[in-house]
Amino acid sequence: MESNIPAKRIQSSEDLKFWFHSDAYYYLTQWIRLLSLKIKQLKNSEECKISDTVQNILNILDQLSNLIDETPPDNQPTRFGNKAYRTWTNKLLKKSEHIITSFLPEKHSEYNSELGVYFLDSFGNSRRIDYGSGHEINFICFLFCFYKLGAITDEDLPAVILKVFAKYLQVARKLQTVYNLEPAGSHGVWGLDDFQFLPYYFGASQLIDHKTLTPSSIHDKTLLKENSGEYLYFRAIQYIHEIKTGPFFEHSPILNEISNVATWSKVNSGLYKMYLDEVLSKYPIVQHCYFGKLLPFTDEIRKKREKEFKESRKKEEKIVKKEK
């Protein structure tokens, strides 16, 4: 039986193979696809339901942003890794008990520690002073826990990305720039992005069948500025321009190549496959993933499907025999 406190379970190549058949992998991949579907063709400013749970998470993210303002960077010469980030994380830990117990109603309080692990690991690593797509995964897992428990519903899902995930990105980028966080596990210019991945996948869904904006529109500075507030994809590209200098095709060749794709639909589907290959299949990233009761490192779903498939085959075979 899985513990209520998630633990890291991927510690070998065999564990990695099992990961692809695990219930957690199934839940996570289906969750990401569902979120993408729910924001198809929607702008960030779209009116959507803001439930008490969603509003609570938004309020907490605002608190974290304010905590950054209250914790200025140290005056130090190093290019990466301002040590004031550790001060910020220590402040977060001190507040964490109150924050975590506010996540869920009393009837689900047994899962507070599980949500807390995912939440606290969503904002980077204080020892390495870095941040990457593995931390982004933890925030997506954190949001999934609410959905699994019924604390957020299908009706909440547009707000989960357009409001909550968008604000999470604001906080993550603020941490990256204020404290000069090192990109965790960066592939350099041959990676999609130094820090994030999902804004591009979700953002492409927002832009599917857009009347005027195409993947190549990211190269138009006017269009980029006009649309960065409404679309996650354009804001992500704008952020790259804010933190990097030089020609776009040199420092972001993968994104530059994607801009040549004909439609946003193809960009969206292509990025999903890339996410599976370049993020969820990479041992250096998923070795840091946590598994508990809500995202279990078990394979019950696969066993159930195999059983259903065998039973279906037996029924078909009986029908064939009778017909003969």
Side-chain angles (χ1 to χ4, degrees):
M1 183 176 289
E2 298 296 322
S3 168
N4 269 32
I5 301 178
K8 296 177 181 179
R9 300 287 298 272
I10 302 175
Q11 300 170 357
S12 67
S13 57
E14 287 303 310
D15 291 336
L16 186 63
K17 291 177 183 177
F18 185 84
W19 154 240
F20 299 127
H21 299 291
S22 71
D23 299 333
Y25 184 86
Y26 173 81
Y27 286 138
L28 188 57
T29 52
Q30 294 303 306
W31 174 236
I32 290 168
R33 293 184 71 176
L34 176 62
L35 290 171
S36 175
L37 179 64
K38 290 295 183 179
I39 61 163
K40 183 179 177 180
Q41 300 176 341
L42 298 183
K43 295 181 179 180
N44 289 351
S45 62
E46 197 81 26
E47 285 191 19
C48 47
K49 177 189 174 184
I50 305 293
S51 64
D52 291 342
T53 301
V54 168
Q55 188 59 59
N56 182 41
I57 300 172
L58 289 172
N59 292 341
I60 290 169
L61 290 172
D62 281 333
Q63 291 178 35
L64 268 57
S65 181
N66 292 335
L67 201 62
I68 299 172
D69 297 333
E70 297 166 10
T71 315
D74 291 344
N75 186 14
Q76 62 181 68
T78 53
R79 180 186 173 193
F80 285 113
N82 193 285
K83 293 179 180 179
Y85 171 68
R86 290 176 178 156
T87 305
W88 181 85
T89 55
N90 285 334
K91 289 181 179 180
L92 174 58
L93 286 173
K94 288 179 181 178
K95 292 177 176 285
S96 63
E97 184 176 354
H98 172 71
I99 290 174
I100 290 167
T101 55
S102 73
F103 284 145
L104 294 169
E106 184 63 28
K107 65 178 180 178
H108 292 312
S109 60
E110 65 180 290
Y111 295 100
N112 278 331
S113 58
E114 190 162 354
L115 267 74
V117 169
Y118 290 123
F119 181 75
L120 293 175
D121 208 46
S122 295
F123 301 95
N125 183 281
S126 60
R127 182 176 58 84
R128 299 188 302 267
I129 313 184
D130 67 6
Y131 174 96
S133 54
H135 301 108
E136 181 184 66
I137 289 174
N138 278 314
F139 192 72
I140 292 298
C141 291
F142 166 72
L143 295 174
F144 171 77
C145 290
F146 287 97
Y147 187 69
K148 184 81 178 290
L149 292 170
I152 60 174
T153 66
D154 284 340
E155 195 177 355
D156 296 316
L157 298 188
V160 165
I161 295 301
L162 303 180
K163 311 304 178 187
V164 175
F165 186 67
K167 181 155 288 191
Y168 164 74
L169 290 173
Q170 291 176 14
V171 175
R173 287 165 182 156
K174 194 171 183 179
L175 288 168
Q176 293 157 21
T177 54
V178 171
Y179 302 121
N180 293 323
L181 301 189
E182 184 84 35
S186 171
H187 296 291
V189 298
W190 300 113
L192 183 74
D193 184 291
D194 284 343
F195 297 107
Q196 314 288 163
F197 191 108
L198 291 175
Y200 300 98
Y201 173 58
F202 294 141
S205 181
Q206 288 181 282
L207 290 156
I208 288 174
D209 295 331
H210 196 283
K211 292 181 180 179
T212 57
L213 298 174
T214 66
S216 64
S217 296
I218 65 165
H219 299 297
D220 187 314
K221 291 183 179 179
T222 300
L223 290 176
L224 195 62
K225 184 177 180 180
E226 290 175 349
N227 293 282
S228 61
E230 290 288 11
Y231 298 105
L232 297 173
Y233 199 103
F234 279 77
R235 178 65 188 105
I237 298 294
Q238 185 187 53
Y239 178 64
I240 288 177
H241 285 298
E242 292 170 3
I243 62 174
K244 293 188 176 184
T245 58
F248 186 76
F249 69 88
E250 288 186 357
H251 59 64
S252 303
I254 304 301
L255 287 168
N256 186 68
E257 185 176 334
I258 290 172
S259 71
N260 295 318
V261 176
T263 66
W264 287 112
S265 180
K266 288 184 177 180
V267 171
N268 178 254
S269 60
L271 285 173
Y272 178 73
K273 294 173 184 176
M274 186 177 180
Y275 189 70
L276 299 185
D277 292 339
E278 298 300 323
V279 178
L280 296 187
S281 297
K282 299 300 182 184
Y283 179 80
I285 297 175
V286 297
Q287 67 174 323
H288 299 296
C289 288
Y290 294 92
F291 304 92
K293 279 192 172 181
L294 299 175
L295 279 163
F297 199 64
T298 54
D299 63 345
E300 295 305 313
I301 295 174
R302 180 179 68 160
K303 288 177 181 177
K304 182 181 178 181
R305 286 183 165 182
E306 287 178 348
K307 183 180 178 181
E308 290 174 347
F309 177 74
K310 288 179 181 178
E311 290 175 350
S312 176
R313 287 296 299 271
K314 285 181 179 178
K315 288 180 181 178
E316 289 176 359
E317 290 172 357
K318 285 182 180 179
I319 292 171
V320 171
K321 286 181 179 179
K322 284 183 179 180
E323 289 178 346
K324 287 183 177 179

